[in-house]
Amino acid sequence: MKPDHPGPGAPAGADRLSKSDEFIGHVGHGGSAGAAQAPVSRHGTAQQAATPASTGRRDSHSRAGPSSADYADPIYGALDLGTNNCRLLLARPSRRGFRVVDAFSRIIRLGEGVSGSGRLSDQAMSRTMEALKVCAGKLQRHRVGRARMVATQACRVAENGQSFVASVRDNFGLEIEVLTSEMEARLAVAGCATLIDPEAEFVLVFDIGGGSSEIIWLDMTKFDSRRDVLTGRYDIDDAIVAWESLPVGVVTLAERFDGRSVTPESFAAMSGSVTQLLAPFEAMHGFRERVAGRKVHFLGTSGTVTTIAGVLLDLERYDRKRVDGIWLNTMQINDVTSRLLNLSYEDRILEPCIGRERADLVLAGCAILDAILKLWPAERLRVADRGLREGILMRLMMEDGVWRTGRRRRGRSRRSHNESAP
């Protein structure tokens, strides 16, 4: 896929989109991650997900070209309403996975202040409603046939989270499912599983979110051939041996320690607080000893690791094609973290891959990553600019039997070769 956003440092409220492109990858069928599908609306289809009055004017950032209704293949949708972002991805099945039709992402900070008040604020809900209004319009305009819409940590923990979800349903007809932390972890793994090194014996997948951070360990030795997992012959869920959802993310940690004014001392305190949260998980499962001397692969799917990669590459503008799948070694991560620690809040705003929307959050994310790498040392990790939304789309397409593994393309290539032979 091409970048679905202009970068982590986009101006406040900037809409982020993705041009049509093909997502390549294979994930196993079934599993608990696909168990409970939320309907698109009270009527079950995305065509009725928004009334004309609720869709508003056409988004000026929408991709030009014919409507999805002009094509025969069904359109699937995935909406991720997170603590920090509201993100929508629309796609249709393709020869090697799916092809993006349209996408939207906006920083809404729905969970702002929740850690202190226990409630979603009126301002945060208002910002989120504006973003969801755009999403509802896109779902209706593209006549999406099937979608799954989910909310994560902010709506899970806020005492008015369920009432907010009900308000979204009443205003736009969107049925948003509040995910359990386990379901969130499994969908995140499904969405980025195609980036797993098939030679790895153990894999740590982590998703540093706004209000929570998911930690998932995979034991790939459970299968005779790890490549079979990655080509869809087995379910990637079956490789999960332990997972944890930490009640801390970039928003909650930055609010607690003041993400604008970060010193080496406060950074160490942030990292230490995360280590304390990780300690019981490690004590229960003993992964430090369990993976010693084994082929271990770390895979990060979050804005933290994509931002670190963008800063490392000195990108003038975030470029998903250059970031997704890149390998970072520990020294490079530490160098970028030190560089950011030496910058003031104002200087971090000027970094193209950070910007004002992330300048007070990026070091909190680095501190969470720092704690992970200190507990489980690794030489390198792989960056995934994909995750929950992609996992949802894959699961929906698998349930409908339209997910393809690429055999069709190879078959075509053989036929073309035979036809051209003398």
Side-chain angles (χ1 to χ4, degrees):
M1 292 183 297
K2 291 184 172 62
D4 71 329
H5 53 79
D15 300 344
R16 299 168 180 180
L17 62 149
S18 175
K19 294 183 178 180
S20 178
D21 203 350
E22 195 165 46
F23 179 93
I24 304 170
H26 316 293
V27 181
H29 292 69
S32 61
Q37 181 210 345
V40 175
S41 74
R42 284 169 289 185
H43 305 288
T45 66
Q47 294 182 33
Q48 299 153 311
T51 62
S54 69
T55 57
R57 64 181 176 83
R58 183 177 179 87
D59 179 20
S60 61
H61 295 275
S62 295
R63 183 176 64 86
S67 165
S68 301
D70 297 334
Y71 298 92
D73 290 340
I75 304 298
Y76 290 78
L79 188 147
D80 172 14
L81 183 59
T83 300
N84 197 45
N85 290 274
C86 174
R87 292 174 287 193
L88 176 72
L89 192 62
L90 306 181
R92 59 165 49 91
S94 72
R95 294 184 297 188
R96 296 186 295 162
F98 61 75
R99 183 174 292 275
V100 174
V101 171
D102 201 354
F104 171 84
S105 179
R106 182 180 293 178
I107 292 178
I108 41 85
R109 297 207 180 196
L110 177 60
E112 188 173 59
V114 169
S115 59
S117 67
R119 295 180 57 83
L120 304 174
S121 70
D122 291 340
Q123 295 88 343
M125 290 189 289
S126 177
R127 291 193 299 266
T128 304
M129 282 293 196
E130 286 299 315
L132 290 171
K133 180 178 180 180
V134 177
C135 293
K138 287 180 178 290
L139 287 162
Q140 182 191 42
R141 183 163 58 252
H142 289 287
R143 299 185 182 181
V144 174
R146 192 174 181 212
R148 187 176 185 184
M149 307 178 194
V150 302
T152 56
Q153 182 71 1
C155 289
R156 271 200 300 264
V157 301
E159 62 182 64
N160 59 340
Q162 289 292 345
S163 63
F164 174 68
V165 167
S167 179
V168 171
R169 181 189 63 233
D170 293 341
N171 277 275
F172 305 121
L174 304 180
E175 292 280 359
I176 295 181
E177 166 194 4
V178 180
L179 284 182
T180 65
S181 53
E182 179 179 5
M183 187 71 74
E184 181 180 358
R186 290 181 180 275
L187 286 171
V189 169
C192 64
T194 53
L195 292 178
I196 291 175
D197 182 353
E199 301 303 319
E201 295 174 292
F202 286 87
V203 180
L204 173 65
V205 179
F206 60 90
D207 183 357
I208 301 172
S212 67
S213 296
E214 277 58 54
I215 307 292
I216 309 102
W217 273 101
L218 309 179
D219 181 357
M220 306 301 287
T221 67
K222 293 166 66 72
F223 307 103
D224 294 334
S225 170
R226 291 185 289 281
R227 291 184 182 274
D228 286 343
V229 179
L230 305 181
T231 55
R233 293 184 61 183
Y234 294 109
D235 192 341
I236 192 64
D237 276 2
D238 294 337
I240 298 176
V241 291
W243 68 275
E244 183 65 84
S245 181
L246 304 180
V248 64
V250 296
V251 174
T252 52
L253 198 62
E255 288 179 347
R256 178 181 171 190
F257 287 93
D258 185 5
R260 292 193 176 197
S261 303
V262 183
T263 65
E265 293 75 21
S266 64
F267 181 86
M270 284 193 286
S271 177
S273 69
V274 177
T275 298
Q276 292 178 359
L277 295 173
L278 285 169
F281 178 75
E282 168 59 18
M284 178 180 295
H285 299 287
F287 279 106
R288 281 178 67 95
E289 181 178 349
R290 194 170 174 178
V291 302
R294 309 298 292 271
K295 295 179 180 178
V296 181
H297 171 199
F298 282 17
L299 181 59
T301 167
S302 70
T304 294
V305 291
T306 58
T307 298
I308 289 174
V311 172
L312 177 69
L313 295 172
D314 286 324
L315 299 181
E316 294 182 1
R317 185 175 183 272
Y318 184 83
D319 184 349
R320 184 190 182 279
K321 290 170 65 176
R322 295 188 61 185
V323 169
D324 186 47
I326 191 175
W327 288 92
L328 303 177
N329 63 49
T330 303
M331 183 177 295
Q332 291 172 323
I333 295 169
N334 291 337
D335 287 346
V336 171
T337 300
S338 297
R339 171 180 166 184
L340 296 179
L341 267 173
N342 288 324
L343 296 179
S344 66
Y345 168 71
E346 289 74 18
D347 288 336
R348 293 198 299 273
I349 291 176
L350 299 178
E351 284 286 329
C353 289
I354 298 177
R356 185 174 300 277
E357 292 291 340
R358 292 179 181 266
D360 63 333
L361 306 178
V362 62
L363 283 171
C366 290
I368 297 173
L369 179 56
D370 182 70
I372 293 171
L373 293 177
K374 283 181 177 176
L375 181 60
W376 301 300
E379 293 183 0
R380 62 177 187 162
L381 64 83
R382 199 171 194 186
V383 177
D385 189 351
R386 59 181 78 180
L388 189 61
R389 294 178 302 167
E390 288 81 3
I392 289 173
L393 289 175
M394 291 177 187
R395 295 295 186 180
L396 292 178
M397 292 179 188
M398 287 174 181
E399 289 171 6
D400 289 353
V402 296
W403 180 258
R404 304 182 182 110
T405 63
R407 296 186 181 90
R408 178 179 171 188
R409 167 169 285 194
R410 291 194 295 270
R412 281 186 174 182
S413 298
R414 286 193 296 269
R415 286 195 300 272
S416 298
H417 176 76
N418 291 337
E419 290 170 358
S420 62

